Amino acid sequence: MHIQFAELPVIDQDRAKAFYTEHLACQVAADQPMGDGGWRWIELTFPGAVTNLHFVKRSDDSPGAEPVLVLVDDNVEATIAALSARGVEIITEPQEAPWQPGRTVAEFRDSEGNRMVVASK
């Protein structure tokens, strides 16, 4: 058993799709019309991951206060540096995880105001 997709609240699907494909190397698994309101079923894949990312409509445009997802990466420092160089808002720089000594974590905000964690393995 595995999780097929995680839902991520977004305001602008095209902006979110561009953010995740350009900054985090996601690939588009699906982009199909869904209903009459112009909303689409967009599903993205992360390199090497089983669980996909699916966009759901966000109820407001307030930035998220709590992390939405934890992304596991081999080199947190390099990933955060690359995101920062591209103008992505970094919330916390790489540091040791207070709940797990020896594990590095950092946080950034995506194009839709979601707070995201990047953690080492």
Side-chain angles (χ1 to χ4, degrees):
M1 184 181 307
H2 71 272
I3 297 171
Q4 181 177 347
F5 57 83
E7 294 183 331
L8 183 69
V10 304
I11 300 163
D12 183 318
Q13 288 184 298
D14 289 320
R15 180 177 62 202
K17 182 174 140 182
F19 180 90
Y20 283 90
T21 57
E22 292 170 14
H23 295 299
L24 298 172
C26 289
Q27 299 294 312
V28 178
D31 187 346
Q32 301 295 324
M34 190 174 93
D36 296 331
W39 196 254
R40 303 184 328 262
W41 180 275
I42 297 178
E43 198 170 326
L44 304 178
T45 62
F46 282 91
V50 175
T51 303
N52 291 348
L53 189 61
H54 165 64
F55 297 152
V56 294
K57 191 175 283 192
R58 189 177 191 137
S59 60
D60 62 37
D61 59 358
S62 300
E66 299 299 322
V68 177
L69 294 175
V70 175
L71 308 173
V72 177
D73 191 55
D74 289 333
N75 192 335
V76 174
E77 292 85 356
T79 297
I80 292 299
L83 290 171
S84 180
R86 292 181 177 157
V88 174
E89 178 188 355
I90 306 304
I91 299 169
T92 59
E93 294 291 333
Q95 59 189 295
E96 186 172 77
W99 65 88
Q100 190 174 4
R103 192 170 193 194
T104 302
V105 295
E107 293 179 293
F108 68 92
R109 198 168 298 283
D110 74 2
S111 63
E112 305 309 291
N114 294 305
R115 190 176 185 134
M116 310 295 276
V117 174
V118 180
S120 62
K121 293 182 178 179

